PDB file of all heavy atoms in Angstrom:
ATOM      1  N   LEU A   1      98.491  99.087 114.906  1.00 75.00           N
ATOM      2  CA  LEU A   1      98.689  98.083 115.929  1.00 75.00           C
ATOM      3  C   LEU A   1      97.423  97.393 116.342  1.00 75.00           C
ATOM      4  O   LEU A   1      97.392  96.196 116.542  1.00 75.00           O
ATOM      5  CB  LEU A   1      99.364  98.720 117.192  1.00 75.00           C
ATOM      6  CG  LEU A   1     100.857  99.081 117.034  1.00 75.00           C
ATOM      7  CD1 LEU A   1     101.343  99.763 118.347  1.00 75.00           C
ATOM      8  CD2 LEU A   1     101.679  97.870 116.737  1.00 75.00           C
ATOM      9  N   VAL A   2      96.364  98.148 116.460  1.00 72.00           N
ATOM     10  CA  VAL A   2      95.051  97.567 116.803  1.00 72.00           C
ATOM     11  C   VAL A   2      94.653  96.587 115.735  1.00 72.00           C
ATOM     12  O   VAL A   2      94.186  95.455 116.007  1.00 72.00           O
ATOM     13  CB  VAL A   2      93.975  98.705 116.986  1.00 72.00           C
ATOM     14  CG1 VAL A   2      92.566  98.068 117.061  1.00 72.00           C
ATOM     15  CG2 VAL A   2      94.297  99.526 118.195  1.00 72.00           C
ATOM     16  N   GLU A   3      94.773  96.972 114.472  1.00 71.00           N
ATOM     17  CA  GLU A   3      94.381  96.093 113.371  1.00 71.00           C
ATOM     18  C   GLU A   3      95.238  94.794 113.351  1.00 71.00           C
ATOM     19  O   GLU A   3      94.711  93.687 113.133  1.00 71.00           O
ATOM     20  CB  GLU A   3      94.493  96.788 112.051  1.00 71.00           C
ATOM     21  CG  GLU A   3      93.532  97.960 111.888  1.00 71.00           C
ATOM     22  CD  GLU A   3      92.056  97.490 111.903  1.00 71.00           C
ATOM     23  OE1 GLU A   3      91.781  96.354 111.454  1.00 71.00           O
ATOM     24  OE2 GLU A   3      91.249  98.276 112.391  1.00 71.00           O
ATOM     25  N   LEU A   4      96.568  95.001 113.537  1.00 73.00           N
ATOM     26  CA  LEU A   4      97.463  93.826 113.509  1.00 73.00           C
ATOM     27  C   LEU A   4      97.184  92.847 114.673  1.00 73.00           C
ATOM     28  O   LEU A   4      97.145  91.638 114.473  1.00 73.00           O
ATOM     29  CB  LEU A   4      98.879  94.251 113.535  1.00 73.00           C
ATOM     30  CG  LEU A   4      99.385  95.006 112.324  1.00 73.00           C
ATOM     31  CD1 LEU A   4     100.856  95.481 112.539  1.00 73.00           C
ATOM     32  CD2 LEU A   4      99.330  94.025 111.090  1.00 73.00           C
ATOM     33  N   ASP A   5      96.930  93.427 115.847  1.00 69.00           N
ATOM     34  CA  ASP A   5      96.654  92.590 116.991  1.00 69.00           C
ATOM     35  C   ASP A   5      95.302  91.839 116.968  1.00 69.00           C
ATOM     36  O   ASP A   5      95.173  90.715 117.443  1.00 69.00           O
ATOM     37  CB  ASP A   5      96.710  93.428 118.299  1.00 69.00           C
ATOM     38  CG  ASP A   5      98.137  93.923 118.645  1.00 69.00           C
ATOM     39  OD1 ASP A   5      99.085  93.379 118.043  1.00 69.00           O
ATOM     40  OD2 ASP A   5      98.257  94.859 119.433  1.00 69.00           O
ATOM     41  N   SER A   6      94.347  92.517 116.310  1.00 67.00           N
ATOM     42  CA  SER A   6      93.017  91.868 116.267  1.00 67.00           C
ATOM     43  C   SER A   6      92.716  91.132 114.984  1.00 67.00           C
ATOM     44  O   SER A   6      91.817  90.254 114.921  1.00 67.00           O
ATOM     45  CB  SER A   6      91.930  92.921 116.484  1.00 67.00           C
ATOM     46  OG  SER A   6      91.979  93.952 115.456  1.00 67.00           O
ATOM     47  N   GLY A   7      93.489  91.447 113.881  1.00 68.00           N
ATOM     48  CA  GLY A   7      93.212  90.866 112.583  1.00 68.00           C
ATOM     49  C   GLY A   7      93.988  89.626 112.260  1.00 68.00           C
ATOM     50  O   GLY A   7      93.636  88.884 111.336  1.00 68.00           O
ATOM     51  N   LEU A   8      95.082  89.417 112.989  1.00 69.00           N
ATOM     52  CA  LEU A   8      95.972  88.246 112.700  1.00 69.00           C
ATOM     53  C   LEU A   8      96.237  87.468 113.953  1.00 69.00           C
ATOM     54  O   LEU A   8      96.569  88.048 115.000  1.00 69.00           O
ATOM     55  CB  LEU A   8      97.328  88.744 112.129  1.00 69.00           C
ATOM     56  CG  LEU A   8      97.275  89.417 110.735  1.00 69.00           C
ATOM     57  CD1 LEU A   8      98.721  89.929 110.397  1.00 69.00           C
ATOM     58  CD2 LEU A   8      96.804  88.479 109.680  1.00 69.00           C
ATOM     59  N   GLU A   9      96.056  86.170 113.903  1.00 72.00           N
ATOM     60  CA  GLU A   9      96.324  85.271 115.027  1.00 72.00           C
ATOM     61  C   GLU A   9      97.272  84.191 114.596  1.00 72.00           C
ATOM     62  O   GLU A   9      97.136  83.705 113.475  1.00 72.00           O
ATOM     63  CB  GLU A   9      95.008  84.657 115.501  1.00 72.00           C
ATOM     64  CG  GLU A   9      93.996  85.652 116.113  1.00 72.00           C
ATOM     65  CD  GLU A   9      94.455  86.269 117.434  1.00 72.00           C
ATOM     66  OE1 GLU A   9      95.407  85.682 118.019  1.00 72.00           O
ATOM     67  OE2 GLU A   9      93.828  87.211 117.850  1.00 72.00           O
ATOM     68  N   PRO A  10      98.270  83.858 115.393  1.00 76.00           N
ATOM     69  CA  PRO A  10      98.575  84.522 116.693  1.00 76.00           C
ATOM     70  C   PRO A  10      99.325  85.835 116.468  1.00 76.00           C
ATOM     71  O   PRO A  10      99.931  86.074 115.377  1.00 76.00           O
ATOM     72  CB  PRO A  10      99.458  83.506 117.362  1.00 76.00           C
ATOM     73  CG  PRO A  10     100.124  82.820 116.227  1.00 76.00           C
ATOM     74  CD  PRO A  10      99.144  82.726 115.120  1.00 76.00           C
ATOM     75  N   SER A  11      99.344  86.698 117.428  1.00 73.00           N
ATOM     76  CA  SER A  11     100.047  87.951 117.363  1.00 73.00           C
ATOM     77  C   SER A  11     100.715  88.205 118.711  1.00 73.00           C
ATOM     78  O   SER A  11     100.290  87.698 119.745  1.00 73.00           O
ATOM     79  CB  SER A  11      99.097  89.052 117.006  1.00 73.00           C
ATOM     80  OG  SER A  11      98.177  89.276 118.061  1.00 73.00           O
ATOM     81  N   THR A  12     101.761  88.967 118.664  1.00 79.00           N
ATOM     82  CA  THR A  12     102.497  89.375 119.918  1.00 79.00           C
ATOM     83  C   THR A  12     102.464  90.875 120.038  1.00 79.00           C
ATOM     84  O   THR A  12     102.886  91.640 119.144  1.00 79.00           O
ATOM     85  CB  THR A  12     103.968  88.885 119.778  1.00 79.00           C
ATOM     86  OG1 THR A  12     103.977  87.464 119.622  1.00 79.00           O
ATOM     87  CG2 THR A  12     104.765  89.261 121.096  1.00 79.00           C
ATOM     88  N   PRO A  13     102.055  91.374 121.182  1.00 81.00           N
ATOM     89  CA  PRO A  13     102.025  92.840 121.376  1.00 81.00           C
ATOM     90  C   PRO A  13     103.394  93.433 121.376  1.00 81.00           C
ATOM     91  O   PRO A  13     104.380  92.738 121.658  1.00 81.00           O
ATOM     92  CB  PRO A  13     101.380  93.001 122.833  1.00 81.00           C
ATOM     93  CG  PRO A  13     100.715  91.700 123.057  1.00 81.00           C
ATOM     94  CD  PRO A  13     101.455  90.624 122.328  1.00 81.00           C
ATOM     95  N   ASN A  14     103.470  94.702 121.053  1.00 85.00           N
ATOM     96  CA  ASN A  14     104.756  95.396 121.027  1.00 85.00           C
ATOM     97  C   ASN A  14     104.686  96.532 122.121  1.00 85.00           C
ATOM     98  O   ASN A  14     104.291  97.702 121.850  1.00 85.00           O
ATOM     99  CB  ASN A  14     104.986  96.077 119.655  1.00 85.00           C
ATOM    100  CG  ASN A  14     106.327  96.747 119.585  1.00 85.00           C
ATOM    101  OD1 ASN A  14     106.950  97.103 120.554  1.00 85.00           O
ATOM    102  ND2 ASN A  14     106.827  96.821 118.304  1.00 85.00           N
ATOM    103  N   PRO A  15     105.011  96.109 123.332  1.00 86.00           N
ATOM    104  CA  PRO A  15     104.804  97.120 124.512  1.00 86.00           C
ATOM    105  C   PRO A  15     105.689  98.406 124.363  1.00 86.00           C
ATOM    106  O   PRO A  15     105.281  99.396 124.739  1.00 86.00           O
ATOM    107  CB  PRO A  15     105.208  96.266 125.716  1.00 86.00           C
ATOM    108  CG  PRO A  15     105.996  95.150 125.201  1.00 86.00           C
ATOM    109  CD  PRO A  15     105.490  94.883 123.831  1.00 86.00           C
ATOM    110  N   HIS A  16     106.904  98.194 123.789  1.00 88.00           N
ATOM    111  CA  HIS A  16     107.731  99.371 123.635  1.00 88.00           C
ATOM    112  C   HIS A  16     107.070 100.445 122.817  1.00 88.00           C
ATOM    113  O   HIS A  16     106.954 101.583 123.141  1.00 88.00           O
ATOM    114  CB  HIS A  16     109.054  98.935 122.996  1.00 88.00           C
ATOM    115  CG  HIS A  16     109.916  98.132 123.885  1.00 88.00           C
ATOM    116  ND1 HIS A  16     110.697  97.108 123.341  1.00 88.00           N
ATOM    117  CD2 HIS A  16     110.144  98.099 125.184  1.00 88.00           C
ATOM    118  CE1 HIS A  16     111.374  96.496 124.335  1.00 88.00           C
ATOM    119  NE2 HIS A  16     111.072  97.126 125.453  1.00 88.00           N
ATOM    120  N   LEU A  17     106.548 100.011 121.616  1.00 86.00           N
ATOM    121  CA  LEU A  17     105.957 100.938 120.704  1.00 86.00           C
ATOM    122  C   LEU A  17     104.625 101.498 121.231  1.00 86.00           C
ATOM    123  O   LEU A  17     104.387 102.662 121.096  1.00 86.00           O
ATOM    124  CB  LEU A  17     105.719 100.249 119.343  1.00 86.00           C
ATOM    125  CG  LEU A  17     105.094 101.136 118.240  1.00 86.00           C
ATOM    126  CD1 LEU A  17     105.970 102.376 118.019  1.00 86.00           C
ATOM    127  CD2 LEU A  17     104.930 100.371 116.937  1.00 86.00           C
ATOM    128  N   ARG A  18     103.913 100.638 121.928  1.00 85.00           N
ATOM    129  CA  ARG A  18     102.642 101.055 122.473  1.00 85.00           C
ATOM    130  C   ARG A  18     102.870 102.180 123.530  1.00 85.00           C
ATOM    131  O   ARG A  18     102.141 103.180 123.536  1.00 85.00           O
ATOM    132  CB  ARG A  18     101.917  99.911 123.151  1.00 85.00           C
ATOM    133  CG  ARG A  18     101.208  98.993 122.131  1.00 85.00           C
ATOM    134  CD  ARG A  18     100.549  97.769 122.928  1.00 85.00           C
ATOM    135  NE  ARG A  18      99.821  96.913 122.022  1.00 85.00           N
ATOM    136  CZ  ARG A  18      98.583  97.132 121.584  1.00 85.00           C
ATOM    137  NH1 ARG A  18      97.938  98.239 122.005  1.00 85.00           N
ATOM    138  NH2 ARG A  18      97.991  96.289 120.782  1.00 85.00           N
ATOM    139  N   MET A  19     103.830 102.028 124.331  1.00 85.00           N
ATOM    140  CA  MET A  19     104.096 103.033 125.384  1.00 85.00           C
ATOM    141  C   MET A  19     104.635 104.316 124.742  1.00 85.00           C
ATOM    142  O   MET A  19     104.292 105.387 125.160  1.00 85.00           O
ATOM    143  CB  MET A  19     105.098 102.480 126.409  1.00 85.00           C
ATOM    144  CG  MET A  19     104.501 101.436 127.343  1.00 85.00           C
ATOM    145  SD  MET A  19     105.539 100.984 128.763  1.00 85.00           S
ATOM    146  CE  MET A  19     106.776  99.994 127.869  1.00 85.00           C
ATOM    147  N   ILE A  20     105.477 104.176 123.749  1.00 86.00           N
ATOM    148  CA  ILE A  20     105.991 105.339 123.067  1.00 86.00           C
ATOM    149  C   ILE A  20     104.904 106.138 122.420  1.00 86.00           C
ATOM    150  O   ILE A  20     104.832 107.372 122.517  1.00 86.00           O
ATOM    151  CB  ILE A  20     107.145 104.911 122.074  1.00 86.00           C
ATOM    152  CG1 ILE A  20     108.427 104.527 122.806  1.00 86.00           C
ATOM    153  CG2 ILE A  20     107.424 106.105 121.111  1.00 86.00           C
ATOM    154  CD1 ILE A  20     109.426 103.946 121.930  1.00 86.00           C
ATOM    155  N   LEU A  21     104.010 105.432 121.794  1.00 84.00           N
ATOM    156  CA  LEU A  21     102.936 106.097 121.056  1.00 84.00           C
ATOM    157  C   LEU A  21     101.958 106.847 122.062  1.00 84.00           C
ATOM    158  O   LEU A  21     101.535 107.971 121.859  1.00 84.00           O
ATOM    159  CB  LEU A  21     102.112 105.129 120.172  1.00 84.00           C
ATOM    160  CG  LEU A  21     102.805 104.577 118.962  1.00 84.00           C
ATOM    161  CD1 LEU A  21     102.003 103.494 118.285  1.00 84.00           C
ATOM    162  CD2 LEU A  21     103.158 105.700 117.959  1.00 84.00           C
ATOM    163  N   HIS A  22     101.725 106.093 123.191  1.00 83.00           N
ATOM    164  CA  HIS A  22     100.906 106.774 124.243  1.00 83.00           C
ATOM    165  C   HIS A  22     101.564 107.999 124.809  1.00 83.00           C
ATOM    166  O   HIS A  22     100.908 109.008 125.012  1.00 83.00           O
ATOM    167  CB  HIS A  22     100.638 105.732 125.337  1.00 83.00           C
ATOM    168  CG  HIS A  22      99.845 106.278 126.459  1.00 83.00           C
ATOM    169  ND1 HIS A  22      98.461 106.441 126.400  1.00 83.00           N
ATOM    170  CD2 HIS A  22     100.168 106.728 127.748  1.00 83.00           C
ATOM    171  CE1 HIS A  22      97.986 106.945 127.519  1.00 83.00           C
ATOM    172  NE2 HIS A  22      98.993 107.081 128.300  1.00 83.00           N
ATOM    173  N   LEU A  23     102.815 107.943 124.989  1.00 83.00           N
ATOM    174  CA  LEU A  23     103.566 109.081 125.507  1.00 83.00           C
ATOM    175  C   LEU A  23     103.578 110.254 124.538  1.00 83.00           C
ATOM    176  O   LEU A  23     103.413 111.357 124.985  1.00 83.00           O
ATOM    177  CB  LEU A  23     104.997 108.632 125.856  1.00 83.00           C
ATOM    178  CG  LEU A  23     105.891 109.668 126.566  1.00 83.00           C
ATOM    179  CD1 LEU A  23     105.363 109.981 128.005  1.00 83.00           C
ATOM    180  CD2 LEU A  23     107.355 109.168 126.660  1.00 83.00           C
ATOM    181  N   MET A  24     103.812 109.981 123.253  1.00 81.00           N
ATOM    182  CA  MET A  24     103.834 111.009 122.264  1.00 81.00           C
ATOM    183  C   MET A  24     102.541 111.690 122.110  1.00 81.00           C
ATOM    184  O   MET A  24     102.402 112.911 122.059  1.00 81.00           O
ATOM    185  CB  MET A  24     104.318 110.449 120.949  1.00 81.00           C
ATOM    186  CG  MET A  24     105.739 109.908 120.950  1.00 81.00           C
ATOM    187  SD  MET A  24     106.975 111.248 121.094  1.00 81.00           S
ATOM    188  CE  MET A  24     106.870 112.029 119.564  1.00 81.00           C
ATOM    189  N   ARG A  25     101.455 110.859 122.044  1.00 76.00           N
ATOM    190  CA  ARG A  25     100.139 111.436 121.872  1.00 76.00           C
ATOM    191  C   ARG A  25      99.721 112.240 123.116  1.00 76.00           C
ATOM    192  O   ARG A  25      99.081 113.326 122.984  1.00 76.00           O
ATOM    193  CB  ARG A  25      99.139 110.356 121.596  1.00 76.00           C
ATOM    194  CG  ARG A  25      99.394 109.643 120.271  1.00 76.00           C
ATOM    195  CD  ARG A  25      98.485 108.490 120.031  1.00 76.00           C
ATOM    196  NE  ARG A  25      97.116 108.916 119.632  1.00 76.00           N
ATOM    197  CZ  ARG A  25      96.123 108.030 119.354  1.00 76.00           C
ATOM    198  NH1 ARG A  25      96.360 106.715 119.511  1.00 76.00           N
ATOM    199  NH2 ARG A  25      95.017 108.415 118.918  1.00 76.00           N
ATOM    200  N   SER A  26     100.005 111.812 124.282  1.00 76.00           N
ATOM    201  CA  SER A  26      99.669 112.522 125.487  1.00 76.00           C
ATOM    202  C   SER A  26     100.484 113.831 125.565  1.00 76.00           C
ATOM    203  O   SER A  26      99.957 114.906 125.938  1.00 76.00           O
ATOM    204  CB  SER A  26     100.032 111.697 126.764  1.00 76.00           C
ATOM    205  OG  SER A  26      99.222 110.523 126.774  1.00 76.00           O
ATOM    206  N   HIS A  27     101.735 113.794 125.166  1.00 73.00           N
ATOM    207  CA  HIS A  27     102.509 115.053 125.139  1.00 73.00           C
ATOM    208  C   HIS A  27     101.926 116.044 124.145  1.00 73.00           C
ATOM    209  O   HIS A  27     101.807 117.188 124.488  1.00 73.00           O
ATOM    210  CB  HIS A  27     103.928 114.709 124.715  1.00 73.00           C
ATOM    211  CG  HIS A  27     104.864 115.901 124.567  1.00 73.00           C
ATOM    212  ND1 HIS A  27     105.310 116.602 125.633  1.00 73.00           N
ATOM    213  CD2 HIS A  27     105.394 116.507 123.461  1.00 73.00           C
ATOM    214  CE1 HIS A  27     106.074 117.615 125.196  1.00 73.00           C
ATOM    215  NE2 HIS A  27     106.116 117.552 123.890  1.00 73.00           N
ATOM    216  N   SER A  28     101.519 115.594 123.041  1.00 67.00           N
ATOM    217  CA  SER A  28     100.839 116.400 122.003  1.00 67.00           C
ATOM    218  C   SER A  28      99.570 117.054 122.532  1.00 67.00           C
ATOM    219  O   SER A  28      99.297 118.232 122.270  1.00 67.00           O
ATOM    220  CB  SER A  28     100.537 115.599 120.742  1.00 67.00           C
ATOM    221  OG  SER A  28      99.762 116.352 119.879  1.00 67.00           O
ATOM    222  N   GLU A  29      98.845 116.343 123.312  1.00 62.00           N
ATOM    223  CA  GLU A  29      97.506 116.804 123.830  1.00 62.00           C
ATOM    224  C   GLU A  29      97.680 117.493 125.174  1.00 62.00           C
ATOM    225  O   GLU A  29      96.702 117.964 125.721  1.00 62.00           O
ATOM    226  CB  GLU A  29      96.573 115.649 123.906  1.00 62.00           C
ATOM    227  CG  GLU A  29      96.257 115.013 122.529  1.00 62.00           C
ATOM    228  CD  GLU A  29      95.540 113.695 122.644  1.00 62.00           C
ATOM    229  OE1 GLU A  29      95.190 113.330 123.786  1.00 62.00           O
ATOM    230  OE2 GLU A  29      95.390 113.009 121.640  1.00 62.00           O
ATOM    231  N   GLY A  30      98.836 117.586 125.736  1.00 61.00           N
ATOM    232  CA  GLY A  30      99.053 118.232 126.993  1.00 61.00           C
ATOM    233  C   GLY A  30      98.522 117.459 128.193  1.00 61.00           C
ATOM    234  O   GLY A  30      98.222 118.085 129.170  1.00 61.00           O
ATOM    235  N   ARG A  31      98.520 116.176 128.087  1.00 70.00           N
ATOM    236  CA  ARG A  31      97.993 115.293 129.205  1.00 70.00           C
ATOM    237  C   ARG A  31      99.147 114.756 130.026  1.00 70.00           C
ATOM    238  O   ARG A  31     100.193 114.312 129.416  1.00 70.00           O
ATOM    239  CB  ARG A  31      97.110 114.133 128.662  1.00 70.00           C
ATOM    240  CG  ARG A  31      95.827 114.558 128.005  1.00 70.00           C
ATOM    241  CD  ARG A  31      94.934 113.382 127.692  1.00 70.00           C
ATOM    242  NE  ARG A  31      95.333 112.762 126.444  1.00 70.00           N
ATOM    243  CZ  ARG A  31      95.913 111.561 126.376  1.00 70.00           C
ATOM    244  NH1 ARG A  31      96.152 110.884 127.435  1.00 70.00           N
ATOM    245  NH2 ARG A  31      96.221 111.089 125.201  1.00 70.00           N
ATOM    246  N   ILE A  32      98.979 114.758 131.328  1.00 74.00           N
ATOM    247  CA  ILE A  32      99.971 114.213 132.216  1.00 74.00           C
ATOM    248  C   ILE A  32     100.079 112.728 132.059  1.00 74.00           C
ATOM    249  O   ILE A  32      99.029 112.031 132.027  1.00 74.00           O
ATOM    250  CB  ILE A  32      99.706 114.593 133.650  1.00 74.00           C
ATOM    251  CG1 ILE A  32      99.852 116.106 133.851  1.00 74.00           C
ATOM    252  CG2 ILE A  32     100.588 113.876 134.620  1.00 74.00           C
ATOM    253  CD1 ILE A  32      99.518 116.602 135.220  1.00 74.00           C
ATOM    254  N   VAL A  33     101.246 112.160 132.000  1.00 82.00           N
ATOM    255  CA  VAL A  33     101.431 110.712 131.926  1.00 82.00           C
ATOM    256  C   VAL A  33     102.192 110.272 133.187  1.00 82.00           C
ATOM    257  O   VAL A  33     103.272 110.740 133.480  1.00 82.00           O
ATOM    258  CB  VAL A  33     102.268 110.340 130.703  1.00 82.00           C
ATOM    259  CG1 VAL A  33     102.525 108.847 130.589  1.00 82.00           C
ATOM    260  CG2 VAL A  33     101.545 110.804 129.386  1.00 82.00           C
TER     261      VAL A  33
END
């Protein structure tokens, strides 16, 4: 996602996927979200 957002213009963020990935990684690492 970082590469797509910064490497291609114009681009549109994918907030659903970003939040899901943040939630999954935090769950894996035991961090409160």
Side-chain angles (χ1 to χ4, degrees):
L1 285 178
V2 171
E3 293 298 327
L4 292 175
D5 290 345
S6 60
L8 295 175
E9 294 291 346
S11 65
T12 302
N14 187 334
H16 293 142
L17 182 55
R18 284 179 177 275
M19 287 190 287
I20 287 172
L21 292 174
H22 179 76
L23 186 65
M24 294 293 289
R25 296 174 77 180
S26 297
H27 177 72
S28 172
E29 296 167 8
R31 291 188 282 110
I32 294 176
V33 178

